[in-house]
Amino acid sequence: FPELQVAPSRQGIEEAKGKANSLFAQGSLEESVKWFSKGIWVAETHVKDAPADMRSILHSNRSFACIKLKRWAEAEEDCSKALGLNA
């Protein structure tokens, strides 16, 4: 999602999560998934010291959006990833 600008920092990831949560609350589920995805991507590729709990929450939240969209396989994958990060 090159159109979504997220700073490569913990603060940038938190801002992406906040934007995604806001969009989710407004019912813009597809857009919230994009923002969660961008936050996950930044955390995994640019912020190597992003805490596991931060990454877990991003996956968990994106999973819930996928459940609302009835995208079951994606939801399951994100749930598994979130749980794995908390192990």
Side-chain angles (χ1 to χ4, degrees):
F1 305 102
E3 72 278 9
L4 304 181
Q5 299 298 313
V6 176
S9 64
R10 288 184 186 189
Q11 181 177 346
I13 296 166
E14 284 293 339
E15 289 171 4
K17 184 180 80 168
K19 177 75 172 168
N21 285 335
S22 177
L23 287 163
F24 181 90
Q26 296 169 20
S28 298
L29 301 175
E30 290 288 352
E31 283 300 307
S32 74
V33 168
K34 288 181 186 179
W35 279 96
F36 286 128
S37 297
K38 186 69 174 219
I40 291 166
W41 180 77
V42 169
E44 291 177 351
T45 62
H46 291 82
V47 185
K48 297 299 183 185
D49 65 339
D53 63 332
M54 174 188 282
R55 295 187 342 261
S56 175
I57 290 167
L58 289 167
H59 282 284
S60 177
N61 289 2
R62 185 173 70 177
S63 175
F64 191 47
C66 287
I67 287 169
K68 293 287 221 174
L69 291 165
K70 299 183 180 178
R71 290 166 30 187
W72 311 120
E74 292 173 62
E76 181 181 17
E77 186 177 325
D78 271 332
C79 279
S80 295
K81 183 75 173 184
L83 290 169
L85 288 164
N86 284 320

